[in-house]
Amino acid sequence: MLCDTSRLLPAGAATTLPAQPRSRGSALRCRRRELHFPGHPALPFCDFLAAQLTRPSFPPGRRVILRRGRMPPVMGGSLAGSERRARRGRCGPQAARAVGPDVAAEDAARSPKRLVQGSRRFKAAGGWALLAVVTLLSFATRFHRLDEPPHICWDETHFGKMGSYYINRTFFFDVHPPLGKMLIGLAGYLSGYDGTFLFQKPGDKYEHHSYMGMRGFCAFLGSWLIPFAYLTVLEVSKSLPAALLTAALLTFDTGCLTLSQYILLDPILMFFIMAAMLSMVKYNSCTDRPFSASWWFWLSLTGISLAGALGVKFVGLFIILQVGLNTISDLWHLFGDLSLSLVTMGKHLIARILCLIVLPLALYMAIFAVHFIVLNKSGPGDGFFSSAFQARLSGNNLHNASIPEHLAYGSVITVKNLRMASGYLHSHRHLYPEGIGARQQQVTTYLHKDYNNLWIVKKHNTNSDPLDPSLPVEFVRHGDIIRLEHKETSRNLHSHYHEAPLTRKHYQVTGYGINGTGDSNDFWRIEVVNRKFGNRIKVLRSRIRLIHLVTGCVLGSSGKVLPKWGWEQLEVTCTPYLKETLNSIWNVEDHFNPKLPNISLDVLKPSFPEILLESHMVMLRGNNGLKPKDNDFTSKPWHWPINYQGLRFSGINDTDFRVYLLGNPVVWWLNLLSIALYLLTGSFTAVALQRGVHLPAEVEDPGLSQVLLRGGGQALLGWVLHYFPFFLMGRILYFHHYFPAMLFSSMLTGILWDTLLRLCAWRLAPSSLARGIHVGGILSLLLGTAYSFYLFHPLAYGMVGPLAQNPLSPMAGLRWLESWDF
Amino acid sequence: MGKGTLEADKTLGILLSLLFYKMLGFLRHPLVVTADINLNVVALTGVGLLSRLWRLTYPRAVVFDEVYYGQYISFYMKRIFFLDDSGPPFGHMLLALGGYLGGFDGNFLWNRIGAEYSSNVPVWSLRLLPALAGAFLVPMAYQIVLELNFSHCAAMGAALLVLIENALITQSRLILLESVLIFFNLLSVLSYLKFSNLQKHSPFSPSWWFWLMLTGVACSCAVGIKYMGVFTYLLVLSIAAVHAWHLIGDQTLSNVCVFCHLLARTVALLIIPILTYLLFFYVHLILLYRSGPHDQIMSSAFQASLEGGLARITRGQPLEVAYGSQVTLRSVFGKPMPCWLHSHQNTYPMIYENGRGSSHQQQVTCYPFKDVNNWWIVKDPGRHQLVVGNPPRPIRHGDIVQLVHGMTTRLLNTHDVAAPLSPHSQEVSCYIDYNISMPAQNLWRLEIVNRESDTDVWKTIMSEVRFVHVNTSAILKLSGAHLPDWGFRQLEVVGEKLSRGFHESMVWNVEEHRYGKSQEQKERELELHSPTQVDISRNLSFMARFSELQWRMLTLRTDDSEHKYSSTPLEWVTLDTNIAYWLHPRTSAQIHLLGNITIWASASLAMVTYALLFFWYLLRRRRSIRDLPEDCWLRWVLAGALCCGGWAVNYLPFFMMEKTLFLYHYLPALTFQIILLPVVLQHVNDHLCRSQLQRSVFSALVVAWYSSACHVFNTLRPLTYGDTPLSPSELRALRWRDSWDILIRK
């Protein structure tokens, strides 16, 4: 005996399997495998088995035969298997021999080969029919009452608006990449929506505007999630019940349903995530036929879906990570296969680089190219971007503009902070309130274009009008001492030893003086970053710093939002720390000087890589800027899996049409339980294998442990990758961020319960009853979820009438948690 | 059945005896101590001590962050409670131990860097512990390389590199915690290595147990000093997990044996660290029993457990709130600041700045200071009197009450008028009847949030309660917004209609409480002005205090302050930044945190070399080409996992952090990097140099490189010890990088 297993196995196992002389059997197996895998001569059996678990798709042939044996072929469970059998039949006979006479005999008796082939076509047809049913049911639930409510729900106000921007070709800014909104815009355009609806706030009626095209498109993509999940689970577990259970969990989840029915990015994102997962799983199962057409097809489809997922939201990075990990382990195994030459290996590597890196990147950039080409009109997002970027947009005052190239005394300018999304140096006729520094005029940065952004460059020591035509033009040079006079209020940019309103360690910046006459605290030295003294200052291109002469501090924008008294503009300070950060670097944007010749700005137009980079910087900053305020009710990641709190999509009062985004608690809590159970059984199996314990034939031979560890592992990895990063995010989080992870956890649930029920059935009963238990278990789970959906469907399809506290409400008695509020 | 249980008993008995046999086997042998002394270690310890302790009391002035840690030492000396969110208290306690041993009385004002220490400050003993920890790094680096099964020569190299690393010296010689943190990091790694080397031939021996336990304790000490220690702990844990996984796969061991191994590891590496960590807090809370300036951040119950804090006021208050009780209500939320429900004569302005109207009734706010206007009387809606009956009728969960403002005798009221700053919520006011169609709506239902049953009585301090408005089911809530000038910048209180779940801003507790006795308003006002009476103190269990303290420490948000010498993690690797720690008040002698740039550069280089070589070997092994013998490969991997891993876990997390970062945060990572350096050098010498000639050349190069490191050390020494004033030209010559900020007097 290699190791004493009887202690680990319950007594039942020992009694049901007495016939098989364990030690002989295992010795036999070891020898057989050694012959098969000359690459691992030194590995002892148990280590080898452990290694097997990480090897993709080795044992299907063996698995198939045995499933036909003791495992009940429930509901066409062997469909996919029987296809494989034709391909990889060579394992079959050996495996059968290895299992021992009793199992083999039963195998022969219960499923003769003729019968298998005879029913194969029938089962294939059955499989397709089942897929069709699943798909139809999914579409039916998603499209049912899609038009209600006929008003804006929740974030439709953003994404619908952004769809309109595409139709109107107006430039805007959003923290997500553009694909999702572009598709929404396209769907709206094709369905006859003209982009005139304002999408002002949730609750606004759509009236005559056509919104069904956009909703229908999202519901269409959202409906595909379920067939995708179904196929993915079928592929990794080769078990129809598992796939059906997953499909049922997702179909009957009110949360998924709600999220798919509105103009949101989530259905689009989840569509691409699931598509990537499915094609990855499909191409994994093609490993035995590398470089075949289907292999290439699934590989490139994975790449395309990845680009799609990343193109909708940055959350797509998680699925990219998952595919990346899978690819690395895949390549690692190929690399260890000494029968493959290095040239073949290189081909594999290049194929993956092409399909999983180059292709997605190219597509991703293409998405942005389309985005920039479509949005060519100036719009509300201009101010977030640099001056050079704005020159691209028609309608912007920098578009096709021509302005004087070098800064001269007397020029009227706007000064923009280089930190993305920080805005123009601004002042207005309001004073800092009492108690906040000196009571002088406020100086802020402001994102929008405004007359109050204009400043006049003056010499520090004379007050003569530099625009006097009799005087020669005098250029401002690097190192000059200047005064900046606010054009509208004629006050000078000023700083002094008072603490800044928000950043206490900096100095306050104010507007000071009357009609341009102030004091020596108005003097600033203008410096160009990385230039020599005496150089002229170029408009737009020179990166300048303004250093306060008296205190030696640098003018900067802290990026903090001022309270109401400052109109929620951003704070401007003078920082005594001379670090070179973007906060304290500015450029001159608009420039008016009648005495100077204008030059065209077309030379400034940035190249595509530059605008790509810039828009990403702005998006990242925007994302980081979405900080929760102190007293907001924020959703915490730990709330999500326990379905702690929903999101109100529409309606508050009992007369409103109310839609509440909340997962079906039965489904969600089952998922939660399954994760815990999975961790338990998975680690138990893994430890048993590592200990070299021989699992009973029923577990090991149909590959149940494989399915559990590999298939379940994939799903668990997906869940972990799509959930845990949120704990590290500083930005504001919402309940709906959990839904991609929820898809994976539903897949895990399907796989786990199918496996568990099979195991229990075998453990408890003879094969005939076992089959019944398995079918019964799966069916009761299916029916249970379906019934819970019947109970909770008003959440998704909308409800009117009294709130749930009221016994007359349709949801009375269903408010199982205090925190749900429908 | 009987047979079954008998058998189970038997098995259990066997299991227990096996357990004893396996795990406590060492008890059967006599304890024998044999000492062999490695003179290398002794010598290294000697020079380590010399380099760290030399003129330790110089400068006799507050240097850099001593100003920060010093105040906590003073708090410990005076036994005053404080809250520091920068890390758990073990580090602070160690520093305070130095003060205790030196007889420090805590009387020093830590207010300014550069301030001269007064004579009562035992500078030497305060700085001793960090310096000792820093000194022991030298022999420990030696031991670690040795335990990794590399040569004595490489081990000496590692130790000598740690010895001449300027930044480590500077950081060790002051009242700072980095050197102690690094000490425990290395200690946990070292003891784990010792343990795993013993695993092969003498498992469950006394020394095996000792090193295993020491690993756990050292890990938790590291965590107890700074949260960053968690990452080294996780590294050690994961390496232990990999080893345990191999152990599980080892079929020469019996199941019981494997189980014993796993059990021992779980106890030593999971349970002991947790217990030790709790112990730190236990000692911390035992030591600090007096109330102090940070009290207000904590809950009333916590404050009541401190001597002289809230306890002074609340002692002897009646426990159960009854009809007629006079109470102050504190918001449990405590954000943006702790405050009490408050009202005063002034009314809401008729029209707000933005044109909306108000009810023009009396303002209700939350006020962050103690004030007589914070007193409220709990009234039974059915009766008129405002005194507590005999016997007092306690109020239970679900009872309807009215709250009467003590000084103005107006009733707390809310109605369907938008609140001043949160228009989605209802205004809360004290009701003034203007005889317009706005009836009083002043009934509130009391809900005890932390009740055990639905019949719980409302208790002082302990009960956390919500007030649900009877007419509108709005909940009394602190919105956290500051009212404008008309509201004296106090905090806004609103009635929240859309209560989305539970939130702390809606929860209040009674802090001060007494049974009202006076019938007349005049009398009552006098009563309200008088302090509450005094008797017993309330005790909070240790776990409750621990969890509250830990939670506050983790969630406390201090404003991210910019600092002149703050830096980003990217600047650390290349030593693009420095920190000026101290400047002599008259001469140009100064102390800087500045690394030995030769060591920094070569350590990074060594790590890159290691990574490249590792992947090269790994790929070739995968193709069954074995460049290294198996044992050599294993120790190469282990060295990499510990050192590169140690570097990564102590460095990469900083990229995710939003707090102000300084160069000294890099030192733990750097230490691991330095230990890797001689490992890589030895590997190059042993495996990559093919001929004797190459080896000799390589050795010569190493010697040359080491002497250059020594030269750099010597050149930077004045800035490390700060004992020699340098001329401006010398200082300028030391400014090797433009980004280094060396102070030159003009």
Side-chain angles (χ1 to χ4, degrees), chain A residues 87-135:
Chain A
R87 283 202 306 275
R88 306 206 44 175
R90 64 191 168 107
C91 297
Q94 289 156 342
R97 215 184 309 134
V99 192
D102 55 342
V103 182
E106 203 181 285
D107 178 7
R110 284 175 49 83
S111 62
K113 216 172 183 178
R114 275 177 285 116
L115 212 145
V116 174
Q117 279 169 347
S119 63
R120 198 173 134 190
R121 199 165 298 158
F122 170 72
K123 278 182 178 157
W128 284 110
L130 216 53
L131 177 61
V133 168
V134 164
T135 316

Side-chain angles (χ1 to χ4, degrees), chain A residues 512-556:
Chain A
Y512 180 73
I514 296 163
N515 288 332
T517 321
D519 62 9
S520 64
N521 270 330
D522 303 346
F523 299 158
W524 301 81
R525 192 168 67 242
I526 185 165
E527 287 188 355
V528 183
V529 178
N530 298 331
R531 288 288 162 79
K532 290 197 192 85
F533 278 85
N535 277 353
R536 291 179 187 178
I537 287 160
K538 285 183 185 158
V539 170
L540 291 167
R541 272 177 291 183
S542 289
R543 297 149 60 93
I544 56 177
R545 307 214 295 170
L546 289 169
I547 294 166
H548 191 239
L549 213 59
V550 175
T551 60
C553 59
V554 185
L555 186 76

Side-chain angles (χ1 to χ4, degrees), chain B residues 562-680:
Chain B
E562 209 174 348
H563 194 278
K564 188 174 180 192
Y565 291 106
S566 67
S567 47
T568 58
L570 277 179
E571 292 169 308
W572 301 342
V573 181
T574 47
L575 195 58
D576 268 340
T577 166
N578 71 320
I579 307 177
Y581 270 13
W582 175 78
L583 176 66
H584 194 281
R586 288 169 303 279
T587 71
S588 68
Q590 50 193 295
I591 297 181
H592 283 263
L593 181 70
L594 201 50
N596 186 326
I597 194 152
T598 312
I599 297 180
W600 289 51
S602 38
S604 304
L605 198 66
M607 209 181 61
V608 174
T609 317
Y610 176 88
L612 291 178
L613 279 175
F614 175 80
F615 281 113
W616 174 244
Y617 290 142
L618 192 70
L619 288 178
R620 282 170 66 89
R621 276 175 68 84
R622 190 71 189 158
R623 301 298 288 183
S624 290
I625 305 165
R626 317 247 153 169
D627 301 285
L628 301 179
E630 194 60 24
D631 62 326
C632 189
W633 164 250
L634 285 179
R635 76 176 187 208
W636 173 247
V637 172
L638 184 63
L642 275 177
C643 299
C644 283
W647 174 81
V649 298
N650 281 296
Y651 176 54
L652 300 181
F654 284 111
F655 284 96
M656 313 273 293
M657 284 186 200
E658 286 171 3
K659 61 176 197 172
T660 321
L661 297 175
F662 294 94
L663 179 64
Y664 58 72
H665 284 126
Y666 185 59
L667 294 179
L670 177 79
T671 320
F672 281 102
Q673 227 182 13
I674 290 177
I675 293 174
L676 187 68
L677 218 168
V679 168
V680 173

Side-chain angles (χ1 to χ4, degrees), chain B residues 294-515:
Chain B
H294 297 179
D295 279 14
Q296 294 241 316
I297 306 168
M298 312 305 290
S299 69
S300 308
F302 192 98
Q303 292 182 41
S305 70
L306 296 171
E307 181 188 295
L310 193 62
R312 194 174 46 210
I313 315 161
T314 56
R315 193 177 295 155
Q317 291 182 168
L319 183 64
E320 297 182 347
V321 180
Y323 290 111
S325 281
Q326 301 175 348
V327 295
T328 62
L329 289 164
R330 182 182 197 262
S331 167
V332 169
F333 192 41
K335 278 175 205 165
M337 56 191 77
C339 62
W340 291 267
L341 190 69
H342 178 97
S343 183
H344 39 235
Q345 290 280 355
N346 305 63
T347 56
Y348 288 110
M350 197 87 89
I351 304 286
Y352 296 124
E353 281 166 7
N354 56 8
R356 283 193 292 118
S358 81
S359 67
H360 199 52
Q361 292 177 349
Q362 184 170 311
Q363 295 173 15
V364 172
T365 64
C366 200
Y367 187 55
F369 303 99
K370 301 230 164 179
D371 186 87
V372 69
N373 271 322
N374 297 347
W375 283 98
W376 297 82
I377 303 168
V378 188
K379 176 175 168 292
D380 182 351
R383 301 187 186 200
H384 280 294
Q385 71 235 39
L386 292 177
V387 293
V388 176
N390 194 16
R393 291 187 302 130
I395 305 170
R396 296 177 189 278
H397 173 74
D399 284 355
I400 308 282
V401 298
Q402 286 174 321
L403 289 175
V404 183
H405 186 239
M407 300 302 285
T408 59
T409 59
R410 295 219 159 99
L411 293 156
L412 187 74
N413 180 66
T414 182
H415 41 215
D416 194 14
V417 173
L421 300 178
S422 324
H424 296 294
S425 312
Q426 290 188 162
E427 181 192 84
V428 173
S429 62
C430 273
Y431 187 70
I432 305 174
D433 193 358
Y434 289 118
N435 261 335
I436 47 172
S437 58
M438 193 175 263
Q441 303 183 353
N442 48 26
L443 298 182
W444 299 84
R445 192 175 60 250
L446 179 87
E447 283 185 5
I448 302 178
V449 178
N450 57 349
R451 62 181 182 271
E452 272 150 20
S453 73
D454 275 354
T455 54
D456 264 14
V457 175
W458 184 9
K459 296 193 184 111
T460 313
I461 292 179
M462 264 97 106
S463 292
E464 298 182 341
V465 300
R466 296 203 295 185
F467 294 97
V468 183
H469 191 234
V470 171
N471 299 55
T472 59
S473 43
I475 298 177
L476 189 71
K477 177 193 161 183
L478 167 69
S479 82
H482 284 270
L483 294 172
D485 288 338
W486 55 256
F488 311 100
R489 309 209 157 272
Q490 298 174 3
L491 300 167
E492 185 199 35
V493 169
V494 299
E496 173 74 49
K497 278 181 294 188
L498 315 170
S499 66
R500 277 181 287 165
F502 170 79
H503 195 260
E504 277 200 334
S505 60
M506 297 181 196
V507 184
W508 305 81
N509 71 340
V510 171
E511 191 165 284
E512 291 174 65
H513 173 218
R514 69 183 144 215
Y515 287 155

Side-chain angles (χ1 to χ4, degrees), chain A residues 116-431:
Chain A
V116 174
Q117 279 169 347
S119 63
R120 198 173 134 190
R121 199 165 298 158
F122 170 72
K123 278 182 178 157
W128 284 110
L130 216 53
L131 177 61
V133 168
V134 164
T135 316
L136 273 181
L137 193 61
S138 151
F139 271 82
T141 46
R142 267 64 185 162
F143 277 87
H144 177 63
R145 299 182 69 180
L146 185 63
D147 52 336
E148 282 189 45
H151 58 245
I152 303 176
C153 287
W154 198 51
D155 268 359
E156 283 189 337
T157 169
H158 297 304
F159 300 120
K161 195 190 298 165
M162 288 167 188
S164 314
Y165 282 138
Y166 279 104
I167 294 173
N168 300 329
R169 312 193 65 176
T170 320
F171 189 78
F172 68 96
F173 162 71
D174 185 36
V175 295
H176 304 300
L179 179 65
K181 290 151 299 189
M182 243 155 42
L183 289 177
I184 290 173
L186 182 68
Y189 180 70
L190 293 180
S191 64
Y193 166 61
D194 54 3
T196 48
F197 188 60
L198 288 177
F199 282 102
Q200 269 179 332
K201 63 174 193 303
D204 288 359
K205 293 260 184 291
Y206 283 114
E207 312 277 347
H208 61 278
H209 295 278
S210 134
Y211 63 99
M212 278 301 286
M214 291 186 274
R215 275 202 189 160
F217 172 74
C218 291
F220 175 77
L221 292 188
S223 306
W224 280 110
L225 294 180
I226 288 150
F228 283 178
Y230 173 85
L231 288 174
T232 309
V233 173
L234 194 62
E235 196 62 47
V236 296
S237 73
K238 301 280 176 255
S239 153
L240 269 181
L244 273 179
L245 184 56
T246 306
L249 290 176
L250 292 180
T251 314
F252 296 134
D253 178 44
T254 45
C256 275
L257 176 55
T258 314
L259 209 56
S260 303
Q261 282 198 314
Y262 299 94
I263 308 172
L264 299 174
L265 294 186
D266 302 78
I268 310 176
L269 172 73
M270 292 198 286
F271 172 82
F272 283 116
I273 288 179
M274 285 309 284
M277 185 70 192
L278 174 64
S279 31
M280 181 187 90
V281 168
K282 282 280 187 191
Y283 113 83
N284 272 348
S285 61
C286 290
T287 25
D288 50 346
R289 294 161 291 155
F291 307 113
S292 63
S294 64
W295 187 87
W296 278 112
F297 173 74
W298 289 118
L299 189 58
S300 42
L301 200 59
T302 314
I304 293 169
S305 317
L306 290 185
L310 189 64
V312 178
K313 272 190 182 186
F314 285 121
V315 171
L317 278 173
F318 303 146
I319 185 75
I320 291 181
L321 200 59
Q322 184 167 20
V323 171
L325 288 175
N326 180 67
T327 311
I328 287 170
S329 88
D330 189 23
L331 283 174
W332 185 242
H333 287 297
L334 287 174
F335 194 68
D337 184 351
L338 293 184
S339 64
L340 290 180
S341 71
L342 280 181
V343 178
T344 329
M345 195 48 225
K347 278 191 204 161
H348 273 288
L349 185 66
I350 287 171
R352 279 157 180 86
I353 290 178
L354 274 182
C355 291
L356 297 180
I357 298 178
V358 178
L359 178 69
L361 265 186
L363 284 175
Y364 185 71
M365 289 202 279
I367 292 167
F368 270 88
V370 174
H371 170 75
F372 291 130
I373 290 170
V374 172
L375 302 182
N376 58 3
K377 293 185 196 154
S378 163
D382 291 12
F384 288 93
F385 290 83
S386 68
S387 318
F389 190 97
Q390 296 175 25
R392 293 176 49 257
L393 303 168
S394 70
N396 189 295
N397 53 358
L398 291 175
H399 184 68
N400 283 339
S402 52
I403 53 175
E405 188 179 10
H406 294 289
L407 195 61
Y409 287 103
S411 296
V412 176
I413 56 173
T414 61
V415 184
K416 189 172 199 308
N417 195 281
L418 235 65
R419 179 174 143 142
M420 309 282 177
S422 184
Y424 302 94
L425 190 68
H426 178 100
S427 184
H428 41 228
R429 278 189 201 281
H430 294 272
L431 306 184

Side-chain angles (χ1 to χ4, degrees), chain A residues 477-520:
Chain A
R477 289 168 195 276
H478 175 71
D480 277 5
I481 292 167
I482 59 162
R483 198 153 51 80
L484 278 180
E485 185 182 313
H486 189 237
K487 188 157 181 285
E488 292 294 305
T489 60
S490 299
R491 295 197 196 273
N492 293 327
L493 187 72
H494 177 100
S495 180
H496 44 218
Y497 288 112
H498 282 276
E499 61 184 30
L502 299 178
T503 317
R504 300 282 174 195
K505 288 187 173 176
H506 293 184
Y507 302 132
Q508 186 193 26
V509 176
T510 63
Y512 180 73
I514 296 163
N515 288 332
T517 321
D519 62 9
S520 64

